[in-house]
Amino acid sequence: MTPVIVIHGGAGVIKADMSPERQAAVRAALAKALQAGYAALTAGQPARDAVEAAIRVLENDPHFNAGRGAVFTHNGHNEMDAAMMDGATLQAGAVAGVRHVRNPITLARAVMEHSPHVLLVGQGAEDFARSQNIPLVDTSYFWTQYRWDQLQKALHDDRAAPAGDQSHQHAALPLDRHFGTVGAVALDTQGHLAAGTSTGGLTDKMWGRVGDSPLIGAGTYANAGCAMSGTGWGEFYIRTVAAHEVCLRVTMMHQSLNTAAQDVINHEIPALGGNGGAIVLDAKGDIAMPFNTDGMYRGWIGRDGVAHIAIFPAEGPQSVPAP
């Protein structure tokens, strides 16, 4: 098979906030992640290697809400979630609510490959990381001024709300408060698919909230014929079991990849009041990247071997050098 990889850096693009400098930095990081993943594929490595390699680059870059760029909770912590699924075996691993794991996607993969479980949370996940010699870092590693300022604005909005009213934290939120996620889907030379997603969650989130990213079938899913990573308002991806729904339509209902992705991401989820985007890949190497926000950070190398980066809906893809 000709290898294919697709990545995203979140659908929480607010066009007015995208300065030329920020755009350039985001595009450069996406290109670096795309090339890291594709290099693994062209070396004959499995799809899960490519997914991890691409996502680690994005987790290490503070421009994305994952790993080093994770947003802050209401109490001023960074709590990260991640998941990986291998389509050929239906193996899956995930972690939620970790605070010291530099690369949560690597820990999610370790859960998949080296534990009898699928999802580990909080302290237990970090204890497992130590047992696997996965690097932990001080929480100061995840502190960035940009994310801290976002939290301070959110807390100001909280104080301005009527006493006892916390509904604004879970409805009609500004895009940048609930759309930050990174992800990758890949097709390797053996024809196998994998998907992965990593996130810092929701700015100002409370009570140990966990979104769709680490929940297999909601924000992350892969089987023999389809792989998806989602980015959006997590509660709605959970309620629609979005990633599984898309792949079920492709593999069991024999819908085209684009039809299945559009129906779920751009129709079912908005009908409930949510929005967002996704990257989806099938076993033939077909790609779908639906979204219904101002933009979605995304990159792909398809069957033609050409690397592309894009952010906004109407723009033509920006070609970047292939690895």
Side-chain angles (χ1 to χ4, degrees), residues 38-63:
Y38 195 66
L41 294 174
T42 55
Q45 296 171 234
R48 60 176 73 183
D49 284 2
V51 165
E52 181 184 4
I55 291 177
R56 281 177 63 96
V57 171
L58 299 177
E59 287 178 333
N60 292 341
D61 191 296
H63 289 93

Side-chain angles (χ1 to χ4, degrees), residues 7-283:
I7 65 172
H8 74 78
V13 176
I14 301 174
K15 196 167 187 177
D17 292 346
M18 290 299 293
S19 67
E21 294 77 16
R22 186 171 178 81
Q23 281 197 47
V26 165
R27 291 178 190 274
L30 289 170
K32 183 179 178 181
L34 194 62
Q35 291 165 357
Y38 195 66
L41 294 174
T42 55
Q45 296 171 234
R48 60 176 73 183
D49 284 2
V51 165
E52 181 184 4
I55 291 177
R56 281 177 63 96
V57 171
L58 299 177
E59 287 178 333
N60 292 341
D61 191 296
H63 289 93
F64 304 94
N65 178 15
R68 191 175 184 190
V71 299
F72 287 91
T73 69
H74 181 79
N75 293 327
H77 302 299
N78 305 105
E79 294 180 354
M80 294 153 286
D81 311 329
M84 181 182 287
M85 188 164 186
D86 184 82
T89 62
L90 296 184
Q91 285 183 292
V95 295
V98 296
R99 295 185 181 180
H100 298 87
V101 180
R102 178 171 179 152
N103 291 109
I105 192 64
T106 296
L107 181 55
R109 180 175 180 176
V111 173
M112 177 175 73
E113 295 179 340
H114 302 300
S115 88
H117 306 300
V118 170
L119 175 62
L120 299 180
V121 302
Q123 186 63 54
E126 296 193 351
D127 289 344
F128 179 70
R130 291 185 183 89
S131 77
Q132 298 296 305
N133 296 315
I134 291 174
L136 301 179
V137 294
D138 186 81
T139 56
S140 61
Y141 170 81
F142 303 103
W143 195 98
T144 63
Q145 188 69 53
Y146 180 71
R147 298 303 187 190
W148 186 252
D149 290 346
Q150 284 182 321
L151 175 63
Q152 301 317 302
K153 183 181 184 304
L155 294 175
H156 176 270
D157 293 344
D158 294 346
R159 291 190 292 269
D165 177 18
Q166 295 168 332
S167 62
H168 67 289
Q169 294 181 321
H170 303 284
L173 295 173
L175 287 180
D176 212 30
R177 286 177 69 177
H178 70 271
F179 277 72
T181 315
V182 306
V185 291
L187 174 69
D188 63 30
T189 56
Q190 300 302 308
H192 297 156
L193 293 159
T197 313
S198 182
T199 185
L202 174 70
T203 299
D204 196 26
K205 68 181 180 180
M206 301 177 73
W207 313 301
R209 178 262 189 188
V210 174
D212 63 306
S213 297
L215 301 185
I216 301 304
T220 307
Y221 188 76
N223 60 23
C226 172
M228 174 178 143
S229 172
T231 166
W233 199 334
E235 280 69 18
F236 293 92
Y237 283 64
I238 295 169
R239 289 165 58 188
T240 57
V241 201
H244 183 266
E245 173 73 8
V246 170
C247 289
L248 175 71
R249 287 167 174 259
V250 171
T251 57
M252 301 299 291
M253 298 173 63
H254 306 295
Q255 290 186 353
S256 72
L257 191 72
N258 191 60
T259 296
Q262 291 285 342
D263 282 353
V264 175
I265 303 302
N266 285 341
H267 297 288
E268 286 191 15
I269 288 174
L272 294 174
N275 45 11
I279 53 173
V280 195
L281 177 63
D282 70 16

